[in-house]
Amino acid sequence: QRARQLPTLSERDVVNEVVGAASAAVEPAREGPRVVVLDYGAKHNIVRSLQRRGAAVTTAGPEATLDTILAGRPAGIVLANGPGDPAALAGAVELVRDLLRTDLPIFGICLGHQLLALAAGATTSRLPFGHHGSNHPVQDVRTGAVHITSQNHEFQVDRESLPAASGFYVSHINLNDGSVEGLAHRERPVFSVQFHPEGCPGPQDNQYLFDEFFALLAARAGE
């Protein structure tokens, strides 16, 4: 009886439960490209992976607005991971939709990937069986390469719901159940993955995705 009375994930504001007060700047003094990490419960190794490549990283919490983000003149945006049902985060989806109207490189991870999909017009749903652990095979359909990934999520992007007019396509698939594991835009510097390229602990196969993001930052800086 007590278990039936518990609220579902969709009824809880779990992002604010884990993020807490407004996020502060992490290391804004570096000389490298300024990257804003939208923190919905971000793993520390996302920030470290960016810093190792020379980024000046700032974090912004769920209360961030487009104006406050752009005021820092970022070179790119990382939509970080976090808990819960992405469809319950209407404000975050609207912010990502606004960010998509800019020309900034954007990299989504886990919940950030789902928010990006929702902003592009897709839907999400709960997986029959959640993905957890560090041994999930994922294929990068752009190259055919298969990587072992670290995962921890209960929701997925619904493949058939992704509008063709959005410009996004499925870039990664889960080889266990065929679910969507990544999206990329055909023309713009925007992509995302469902798994954790920063996996810590976890396989380091997927750190190459941070290199891809930095290549997009460098390309934009050279325009």
Side-chain angles (χ1 to χ4, degrees), residues 24-111:
V26 174
E27 192 173 344
R30 289 191 175 217
E31 296 296 328
R34 299 180 65 87
V35 174
V36 173
V37 174
L38 291 186
D39 179 7
Y40 306 109
K43 298 187 186 303
H44 294 308
N45 205 40
I46 291 176
V47 173
R48 289 196 294 263
S49 295
L50 295 167
Q51 290 177 335
R52 279 198 300 270
R53 290 165 173 82
V57 179
T58 330
T59 61
E63 78 293 335
T65 66
L66 181 66
D67 288 342
T68 59
I69 291 169
L70 297 184
R73 302 179 63 83
I77 306 291
V78 172
L79 310 174
N81 62 291
D85 183 352
L89 301 173
V93 173
E94 187 59 37
L95 174 60
V96 175
R97 191 174 290 124
D98 289 339
L99 287 168
L100 284 174
R101 297 188 182 103
T102 73
D103 62 348
L104 291 171
I106 299 174
F107 178 20
I109 297 173
C110 198
L111 181 65

Side-chain angles (χ1 to χ4, degrees), residues 168-191:
F168 284 95
Y169 66 94
V170 175
S171 60
H172 295 72
I173 58 171
N174 188 298
L175 294 183
N176 286 333
D177 62 10
S179 59
V180 175
E181 291 279 0
L183 299 173
H185 199 278
R186 298 186 186 282
E187 300 174 359
R188 301 175 60 195
V190 182
F191 70 105

Side-chain angles (χ1 to χ4, degrees), residues 205-223:
D205 300 33
N206 304 290
Q207 282 278 331
Y208 77 95
L209 292 162
F210 288 101
D211 296 330
E212 285 192 12
F213 179 59
F214 272 75
L216 295 176
L217 296 180
R220 182 175 183 269
E223 290 177 353

